[in-house]
């Protein structure tokens, strides 16, 4: 459910519909490869993004963190893990359910064809803004 405090967005996802809301909020967010952290012992995946604030009418970005819990495995495809300063742009987040709910894969699709496939026991995600917004002169564009 969405929560806004002091202009900061905070969302929690527990099913595919909730995850679609987080996906919309993170569309066109950018991150460095080095800002993607998987902690196997705690089974947490955390990604720090510079998120375009579509909900605020645009023209600003904010630092946000996405955290996925109950992570069993993370697979990266076409992402340069050897280049921590490489920037990736998020296009969408989707969920591929297993035959046995509630498990499945949360898939983060990036521009250029890269993706991150995150196997989870269940959907348990939080997106939270962690900074004040700052102005940006560029609005993300999409091909029609």
């Amino acid at each position: 459910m969405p929560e806004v405090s002091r202009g900061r967005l905070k969302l929690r996802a527990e099913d595919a519909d909730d995850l679609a809301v987080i996906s919309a909020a993170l569309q066109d967010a950018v991150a460095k490869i080095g800002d993607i952290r998987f902690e196997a012992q705690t089974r947490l995946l955390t990604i720090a993004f510079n998120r375009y604030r579509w909900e605020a009418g645009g023209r600003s970005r904010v630092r946000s963190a996405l955290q996925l819990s109950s992570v069993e495995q993370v697979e990266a495809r076409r992402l340069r893990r050897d280049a921590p300063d490489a920037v990736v742009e998020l296009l969408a987040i989707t969920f591929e359910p297993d035959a046995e709910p509630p498990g499945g894969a949360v898939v983060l699709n990036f521009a250029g064809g890269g993706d991150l496939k995150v196997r989870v026991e269940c959907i348990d995600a939080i997106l939270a803004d962690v900074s004040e917004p700052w102005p940006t002169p560029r609005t993300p564009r999409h091909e029609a």
Side-chain angles (χ1 to χ4, degrees):
M1 287 291 146
E3 176 186 317
V4 178
S5 78
R6 295 185 344 216
R8 292 185 183 181
L9 190 64
K10 185 173 185 180
L11 301 172
R12 180 176 185 99
E14 296 178 342
D15 61 30
D17 291 336
D18 293 344
L19 197 60
V21 173
I22 287 179
S23 177
L26 279 173
Q27 183 179 5
D28 301 310
V30 293
K32 290 183 178 181
I33 295 292
D35 289 336
I36 301 172
R37 301 258 188 237
F38 176 52
E39 299 169 28
Q41 279 191 321
T42 58
R43 300 175 54 200
L44 294 173
L45 175 74
T46 306
I47 306 174
F49 287 99
N50 289 343
R51 183 178 73 79
Y52 191 80
R53 297 178 68 228
W54 292 105
E55 78 283 357
R59 295 279 191 219
S60 64
R61 286 196 180 265
V62 66
R63 192 75 167 156
S64 298
L66 173 67
Q67 188 169 70
L68 297 171
S69 301
S70 303
V71 175
E72 297 173 332
Q73 180 182 7
V74 178
E75 298 174 38
R77 186 177 66 90
R78 296 186 66 191
L79 296 177
R80 296 210 37 214
R81 291 180 284 177
D82 63 330
D85 290 329
V87 176
V88 292
E89 179 181 1
L90 185 68
L91 299 177
I93 302 173
T94 57
F95 183 67
E96 298 173 354
D98 284 344
E100 292 291 321
V106 174
V107 181
L108 292 88
N109 295 298
F110 296 96
D115 60 46
L116 205 57
K117 190 171 194 174
V118 185
R119 302 230 29 97
V120 295
E121 283 183 13
C122 61
I123 296 174
D124 186 2
I126 295 174
L127 172 67
D129 292 344
V130 295
S131 77
E132 294 300 319
W134 65 87
T136 183
R138 289 187 225 135
T139 300
R141 294 180 188 235
H142 301 273
E143 298 297 319

